[in-house]
Amino acid sequence: MSDSLQNRIVNLIPSEDLRNVIKSTAYQLTDIALLSTVYYCAPDFASRIEYLQMLEAVFTGEIKAYITRIIETQHQMLDAFLRNETGVAFELHIKETPDAYDETYLCSSFDAAVKMIPLFYQEYDSNETALSRYRIVKRRIFSAQEGELFFEDYLGEAVLLPGEIIHSVEMNGYCAENCDGLCLDCERYCVRRQDVLYPVFAGHADAVKYREHDGSVGFGVVLQWDDAPTNECYIIPLDCEQVRYHDFKNAHYAHEHVPSVFVERISVDRLSDKMQKDYLAYSAFLKENPAWT
């Protein structure tokens, strides 16, 4: 693995703080960490495939075979999702911003769903922004024919970015890991395993912002007990009820495990006035009551 390829992969990480600490400490990501970074941090489907192919070209043995299966599975899922089938509908979800109402439209095909997006903006005299997100869910339609059995309608979904760019696709029944349901004891290569480790960059009680799956941004407080490499941050959201009402002894019940790649520190003055006051009060509580962390 060349340093230049690791640097290119590290630059995919959204967290500037994590990128900087990896580079400043010359931290070497493991093979599975490099693969996981590509899988979760690539900005869209096409670039994910591109970086996977780069890793496939330099790795050997079992992990190379695993990457080959991931690439094949990604293409299989995309082909299966785009395929028109009898008795299937495509449910388009439009969110102009992460906090906007989820507008939903039932479409006859993937192409029809994509064509609906600009028509939506035309109808409501609005414009797509960098925060706009689209989710297309592929569902089976129940026909109630005699003898037909109950079935779950969800088949899979695709997430689209502004500009009708496919970000990711998931389909039921496709798995590159050949999973057998024994994840806790599994020793196979897998991007979902917990031993994908990154260096720690946030200190105990630091204020942070983090990105949610839907593109929205949250703000919170990191609880950090040691400097051991980890794949996630333990965060108490600043908008949770326990922090807003200063029930700090019970704040741990609202904690979230957020992947480190989507977290970065922020200065307190970037928070709203209410969040600043809550943060300062909670951080003071943490300092005075270490047993409650």
Side-chain angles (χ1 to χ4, degrees), residues 121-166:
Y121 289 107
Q122 179 180 327
E123 174 67 20
Y124 292 102
D125 194 25
S126 58
N127 296 296
E128 183 178 74
T129 72
L131 296 176
S132 300
R133 293 292 183 274
Y134 315 99
R135 192 165 58 92
I136 302 177
V137 181
K138 189 173 186 178
R139 297 189 185 277
R140 288 207 179 280
I141 301 172
F142 184 69
S143 63
Q145 295 178 354
E146 185 175 352
E148 187 169 26
L149 301 176
F150 173 84
F151 54 79
E152 295 294 341
D153 65 340
Y154 178 90
L155 296 175
E157 67 180 75
V159 175
L160 275 64
L161 302 172
E164 302 171 5
I165 296 171
I166 296 177

Side-chain angles (χ1 to χ4, degrees), residues 28-129:
Q28 291 297 310
L29 296 178
T30 63
D31 291 350
I32 192 63
L34 288 164
L35 176 55
S36 181
T37 302
V38 167
Y39 191 85
Y40 289 107
C41 298
D44 54 53
F45 183 92
S47 60
R48 184 176 301 107
I49 296 298
E50 179 184 357
Y51 276 91
L52 286 171
Q53 290 172 334
M54 292 181 191
L55 291 178
E56 183 186 32
V58 298
F59 284 149
T60 59
E62 185 178 347
I63 192 169
K64 179 184 179 72
Y66 174 49
I67 296 172
T68 300
R69 293 198 304 273
I70 291 179
I71 295 171
E72 292 173 349
T73 303
Q74 290 284 303
H75 284 303
Q76 289 168 359
M77 288 194 295
L78 180 60
D79 290 344
F81 185 85
L82 296 178
R83 188 182 307 128
N84 291 327
E85 304 172 60
T86 301
V88 167
F90 291 78
E91 183 182 86
L92 170 64
H93 296 257
I94 297 177
K95 296 197 73 171
E96 295 182 84
T97 66
D99 297 325
Y101 180 77
D102 185 14
E103 305 282 356
T104 307
Y105 303 92
L106 201 60
C107 305
S108 61
S109 67
F110 175 82
D111 288 341
V114 171
K115 289 178 181 177
M116 178 64 72
I117 295 173
L119 294 176
F120 168 85
Y121 289 107
Q122 179 180 327
E123 174 67 20
Y124 292 102
D125 194 25
S126 58
N127 296 296
E128 183 178 74
T129 72

Side-chain angles (χ1 to χ4, degrees), residues 242-252 277-278 281-283 285-286 292:
Q242 292 87 339
V243 172
R244 287 189 293 114
Y245 294 102
H246 292 199
D247 181 19
F248 298 140
K249 290 183 179 181
N250 291 309
H252 60 282
K277 293 176 182 177
D278 291 340
Y282 185 40
S283 60
F285 171 84
L286 293 173
W292 290 98

